[in-house]
Each structure stands twice: as C-alpha cells, then as structure tokens.
Amino acid sequence: MPTQQTVLLVGGTGRPGGRVLQQLLDRGVGVRAIARARARLPAGSAGHPGLTVIEASLLSLAEEALRRQLSGCDAVVSCLGHTLSLPGVFGPPRDLVTGATRRLCRAVEALRPPRPVKLVLMSSVSVNRPGGLDSRRGALERAFLWMLRGVLPPARDNQRAADLLLEEIGPDNAFLEWVAVRPDSLLEGEASAYRAHEGLVDSLFSPGRTNMANVAHFMCELVTNSEAWAAWRGKQPVLVNASTKAA
Ligand SMILES: NC(=O)c1ccc[n+]([C@@H]2O[C@H](COP(=O)([O-])OP(=O)(O)OC[C@H]3O[C@@H](n4cnc5c(N)ncnc54)[C@H](OP(=O)(O)O)[C@@H]3O)[C@@H](O)[C@H]2O)c1
C-alpha cells in the first residue's frame, strides 16, 4: 500500500488556498495547515481526519516549531498573498511572500530531508523570469511593471519571492525543489480545461483568465503526480484557462 503524502499548507484561508486545501483532502493527502485563524479555513474542512491545523502566523512561528511541522512533509504549498485592503497592500509585512518563502526554505534545508521536499509557490503573471521566456513582454509593459513594483509592495514582494527561488535556492538544491505557479487574473468558477505555459501568453493590458479552481488543480497535480513535477520542477509556469478571453 502506498504511504500517504503529507503537505504543509500556508494561505489555506485564502481564496486559492482554500481550494487547494479542499482538493488535497479530496485526493487523500494529509494536510498540515498553518493559519492565523482556523475559523477562516473552508467550512467543509473542519474536523476532516486528514487535516491538522496549527493556529499561528507563519512569520512569527518559532523556528523549532516550524521545523517540527515540516518534519516528514513531502511538499509545501504557499498560497499567501497580501490582503486586498489599504493596510494589507501598504502596511507591514511588506515582504510577506518573500519572508514566508525564505523561512520555509531555510527550515526545510535545516531538516536535511533524505529526499528533496517539493515547494509550490503561488506567484503571478506580473512576475518576470529571466532567460528570454517572457520576451513577449514589450518595453511599455516592462516599464509599467517597474513602476508598479516601485509603488505597490505586493508586486515587488511577488517578484522577490520568485527571484529567491531562482537565485538563492536554484535548480539543484539537495533538499528542496520548487515550482512558482503564475496565474493570470484570478476568477471564481468551476474547474475547467486549462493550460500551463513556459512563458507569458497574454499581456497585463489584455489579461488572460485563470479560474482559482484550476490553479488549485494544477498545484495539487504538482504535489501528487510525479510526471507533472518532473515537467515543471524549477520553472515558473503561466497558468491560464484554455478559453481565456472574454467572448
Ligand atoms: N488576485 C489576482 O487576480 C491574482 C492573480 C495572480 C496572482 N495572484 C497572487 O495570488 C496570491 C494570493 O492572492 P489572493 O488575493 O487570492 O489571496 P487571498 O484570498 O487574499 O488569501 C491571502 C492568504 O494570505 C494570508 N495572509 C495575508 N496576510 C498575512 C499575514 N500578514 N500573515 C500571514 N498570513 C497572511 C491570508 O490569511 P488570513 O486569512 O489570516 O488573512 C490568506 O490565507 C497573491 O500572492 C497574489 O499576488 C493574484
């Protein structure tokens, strides 16, 4: 009998994160969810035998407690994001996603797991990746994004978190492998056909659409399907609905 997989989830109280939590539990994956308020986790998950809730903020959880929660995990999924409010966007912690990603990576490395732990990060199409794969992005859009990162801390934060994975963790880390998933504009709606692309397919001025149910499905596939992992490990796939533009 295959052993049950265990995933540490942060951001499970959010819109995409709640869907990831439900889909992981539906797939029989054991989930340890670190959440500031357990009451904000999806209603259907309360009391699920596969779910353990650690009621705490990831950023202030003691190092040792974080390592304890990560011990034995096959994967970590981060769906953290700045709350869409004035204090959420402009107040502290301005480096929420980067700080959380760094904490998670360092704690995994300190554990020296026998097999690399998979880290799936919720990122964004506003994030650039080097290497020419995002060459679709023209000069005007690049200038706009540069300005956006100057005035909007969450935009800067998402870019720095992705850069951290690319530059500090890299592709050949013995303890940690990663994928940064870049959805376009997040939408409600059912799971539907979707595609993962190596580079950008739309522009910020004419955005594509990504159902949150599809983001959750792709993230769960990455965690549970070794072929999906092998295809996207160390990459920043752009995820869009197959039918992405308004009719
Ligand atoms: N909106 C879009 O169209 C779009 C498109 C592409 C990518 N993204 C990216 O997707 C990610 C998720 O975005 P979202 O707006 O959909 O998320 P969301 O539903 O607002 O969820 C945010 C999650 O982060 C947690 N969180 C927020 N501030 C925190 C803090 N200071 N400490 C600990 N946890 C904190 C929230 O926990 P609590 O419940 O405790 O507040 C919640 O679980 C973001 O990085 C965003 O940039 C968004």
Side-chain angles (χ1 to χ4, degrees):
M1 208 152 125
T3 49
Q4 192 196 34
Q5 278 188 294
T6 305
V7 170
L8 184 92
L9 173 67
V10 293
T13 55
R15 300 175 312 151
R19 288 165 168 86
V20 170
L21 173 58
Q22 282 170 320
Q23 290 194 28
L24 285 173
L25 293 174
D26 288 349
R27 288 173 188 234
V29 175
V31 180
R32 298 176 192 167
I34 300 178
R36 292 191 292 185
R38 86 171 50 229
R40 285 205 289 272
L41 288 167
S45 64
H48 192 291
L51 175 64
T52 307
V53 181
I54 303 97
E55 201 161 24
S57 169
L58 171 66
L59 295 180
S60 49
L61 194 62
E63 196 71 35
E64 200 196 317
L66 179 57
R67 284 205 292 268
R68 209 167 39 243
Q69 296 307 330
L70 281 164
S71 176
C73 283
D74 305 283
V76 177
V77 178
S78 171
C79 293
L80 290 177
H82 298 253
T83 311
L84 286 181
S85 63
L86 266 182
V89 171
F90 292 104
R94 292 186 173 172
D95 65 343
L96 169 67
V97 183
T98 312
T101 306
R102 181 171 283 115
R103 285 210 81 193
L104 290 165
C105 292
R106 296 299 168 236
V108 168
E109 288 179 320
L111 284 171
R112 305 178 66 83
R115 278 188 315 282
V117 169
K118 299 170 177 174
L119 170 69
V120 181
L121 175 71
M122 174 88 178
S123 184
S124 163
V125 281
S126 70
V127 165
N128 281 331
R129 63 162 294 169
L133 283 167
D134 289 342
S135 55
R136 267 184 77 89
R137 189 163 268 155
L140 181 62
E141 194 175 329
R142 286 203 302 276
F144 178 70
L145 270 172
W146 179 81
M147 189 268 297
L148 221 55
R149 285 186 205 114
V151 295
L152 284 182
R156 193 164 57 237
D157 188 21
N158 277 337
Q159 182 67 52
R160 285 184 178 163
D163 290 347
L164 183 154
L165 293 180
L166 212 56
E167 292 159 13
E168 291 183 34
I169 304 303
D172 302 313
N173 191 292
F175 305 120
L176 198 62
E177 297 176 347
W178 56 269
V179 175
V181 179
R182 294 187 293 167
D184 213 308
S185 305
L186 293 178
L187 298 176
E188 302 286 333
E190 299 296 309
S192 62
Y194 66 85
R195 298 219 175 86
H197 302 263
E198 291 261 357
L200 296 172
V201 282
D202 294 294
S203 113
L204 285 185
F205 303 126
S206 171
R209 299 157 160 235
T210 315
N211 286 7
M212 285 180 274
N214 295 340
V215 181
H217 184 271
F218 184 61
M219 288 182 148
C220 294
E221 279 293 296
L222 288 171
V223 168
T224 57
N225 177 337
S226 54
E227 285 177 21
W229 188 259
W232 293 107
R233 179 168 73 89
K235 296 183 178 175
Q236 295 169 266
V238 169
L239 202 76
V240 285
N241 294 351
S243 145
T244 186
K245 296 281 185 202

